[in-house]
Amino acid sequence: MLKKWALVFLVAFLMTSLSCTSGEVKPPRLDLSTGWKFMPQDNLDFARPDFDDSAWKTIEVDRTWNQQGYPKYEGFAWYRIRIVIPSSLIKNAVLKDSLIFHLGKIDDFDQVFLNGELIGENLKNVPPGTKATDDFKNLDHSFWNVPRRYSLAVDDPRIKWDRENVIAIRVYDWGVAGGIYSGDLYLAPADLSEYVKFIYVPNLFTFHQKEIEKTLALRNVSSRYRIKGKFYLRMVDNLTGETVLKRKFPVILQPNARAEYSFKVPKLNRSATLYYRVKLQKSLEERVEKEGLPYILTPPVKSEPRINGARVYGQRPGKPFLFRIAASGKRPLHFSARNLPEGLSLDTTRGIIRGVVKKAGTYPVLITVKNSLGADTKTLRIVIGDRIALTPPMGWNSWNVWGLSVTQERVYAAARAFVEKGLADHGWTYINIDDGWEIYGQAREPKRKPNGEIRTNNKFPDMKKLGDDIHALGLKFGIYSSPGPLTCGGYTGSYGHEEQDARTFASWGVDYLKYDLCSYRKMMTDQNDPRQLMPPYEKMYRALRKQNRDIVYSLCEYGNGRVWEWGARVGGNLWRTTGDIWDEWDRMFSIGFNQEMAAPYAGPGHWNDPDMLVVGWVGWSEQLHPTRLTPDEQYTHVSLWALLSAPLLLGCDLERLDDFTLNLLTNDEVIAIDQDPLGKQALPVIKEKNIQVYKKDLADGNWAVGIFNIGESTQTYTLNFQDLGLSGKLQVRDVWCQKNLGEFTNTFRTVIPAHGVRLLKIFRPGTN
Ligand code: GAL
């Protein structure tokens, strides 16, 4: 009887909601996006409901505190708000059992108190009576980008219904930017749809002849409710706007159950989006997600032999020489070289050149690669002189994938994958460990040996062996440290041990050092003063130069003090021009499309570094997810970085490379733009509301041109050659498709999906 009555009530409620919101059901919620107060200090008394915060300043929660008058503040800070939580919120809800605190994204850590009691910490609900500690500072800092959601049972004594409540949030920022920043803060009853999670199973998409197969799982994360409804799939062609396909699947999920949905969609070979929508019975909200459908533009790597990668390589005289000739084609390959400088020898089956060249000079070496199907010959210019990194370094770095959970095995696995998956055949060379290999600053054990030598933590049992193993594959080995006493992750830095660390790194076989400012900032009075920034970097440079090997030197200080203007003077081969990248369009866009100021300073041996690539499976921790950049955004990312002559450092799990990502990273014509020996960074020549066009001069006298659609919808665009400073009849090639498009007179017209690119090579008349 009671049940029947409840149903009648539910239907009546749904109907009233429907009628007064003209078709759109608005679930009840209490907005918390304004009204917060802020204190950039730490004191657990700030959690107390009776604490007097009347003197605190107000703050917005849709941007970090750095953007609101606290530009350099990092560490602990508190947010407080007073609100009445009306019981009508629950009375009007379908599920009446819990109240959800949606608190948006918080950079980096959070502890949330309700009326003086901790209710949640870094994404986890905590039971009543839990004491707040600082232990979370030892965790990987990977929460900054995850919306906080805490749930309390409606009868939880920490909630005061229909009375004033105080929510206090203790935020800890380890650096760069901090605070509550996504603006979407509210309280709401739980909705059934919240219990549905889309699970992107590891095998993202499988490419068949004419179709793409996809498996997506839905999980019911509730341990209480059964879920019933429909899962709607829709595929849209982004160039025409047409719906290509619609499907509908029933959803029935017992508590905690998971179900997989496999489907095939047509392979369009151009930009398309899949829209997923789950509508449940007894739910007021729909779960909607969308996913760009990967489309492969580059033809498969040919079986005929081809020499790829950099055409010029620099090394200093008398230093160990290691160069793996990047070459694709059906194995076995046979390598030969004419005019190798004295002191070098070539492994003819693996294409690895080793040795030591004593005499400075430029040596044009004629390399030939053969297999049963043919041969390819190209000149590699070996320059033995003062300069290294004559083309932007290409490789892998552990940070964007593993964060602080990096291990020796994971690093070696990346090296093996470079060879096994063929990336090394296209020029990918460096295998770099980022933060997290040292002893943690707050650990009890000694950070250094009695003689001062830096120790590795137990995740890196044998660094020398790791270096040797990486070199045995013909690849290069990179490491990370800080001029400060601690790294950004709180691990041991090189402060006071610069010479000794440089020696230790060299003894491990290190070929590349990323030197990250981090805690050194505490020793500076002005973080943007080159006079304070240069000395610690120069000190390490001098120490590196004393070693018996070449070590590419990467400065990481987030672009402070216009590092591009002086980075080369302190020995930098590359320098970060910005803060950290992450896998969102806005972030990649704001970094990539703002590199103009630094362009004049890039060139062979000294590169601007707009941070690493965020393609493939990333995560900054053990929890990985496929990049949130759409395929179009990924084409833009890689094209732009290549045009910018940026270092190309992958930060993804190489053991989980899908067909699309592998294809994206092995287009030799795109890589050749990045590795062009002229080393000239592209500049934007056209900047319109939705379109930006970048032009890069190439060593062969031709041009690489990227037409980027930075707008939110598909654009048809006519490129005027005059705007590029060119004219007449020009041969145009599509670089991603590796296809000549023909001759065009004065203009070139194209259609580009939202956030996508058309990457072209335009030839001087008579050169193609
Ligand atoms: C940041 C740096 C990142 C990564 C991290 C390690 O400062 O920009 O790239 O190295 O530190 O803790």
Side-chain angles (χ1 to χ4, degrees), residues 141 174-176 397 399-400 403-404 434-436 480 487-491 514 516-518 521 556-558 576 578-581 611-612 620:
H141 44 257
W174 67 268
V176 186
N397 169 296
W399 185 247
N400 292 354
L404 297 172
D434 206 277
D435 203 356
Y480 167 99
T487 66
C488 297
Y491 288 70
K514 172 173 168 184
D516 194 352
L517 191 61
C518 307
R521 282 178 295 184
C556 177
E557 46 82 282
Y558 338 112
R576 280 269 297 277
T578 72
D580 288 16
I581 196 166
D611 207 2
M612 300 174 279
W620 294 267

Side-chain angles (χ1 to χ4, degrees), residues 391-405:
T391 61
M394 285 178 67
W396 176 89
N397 169 296
S398 57
W399 185 247
N400 292 354
V401 49
W402 302 120
L404 297 172
S405 63

Side-chain angles (χ1 to χ4, degrees), residues 357-401:
V357 189
K358 294 218 178 87
K359 224 170 121 214
T362 298
Y363 304 88
V365 178
L366 210 62
I367 309 252
T368 298
V369 183
K370 281 191 188 145
N371 69 7
S372 54
L373 300 166
D376 187 25
T377 298
K378 285 197 179 103
T379 303
L380 170 69
R381 199 153 42 89
I382 294 180
V383 186
I384 303 295
D386 214 26
R387 291 191 309 171
I388 56 174
L390 298 185
T391 61
M394 285 178 67
W396 176 89
N397 169 296
S398 57
W399 185 247
N400 292 354
V401 49

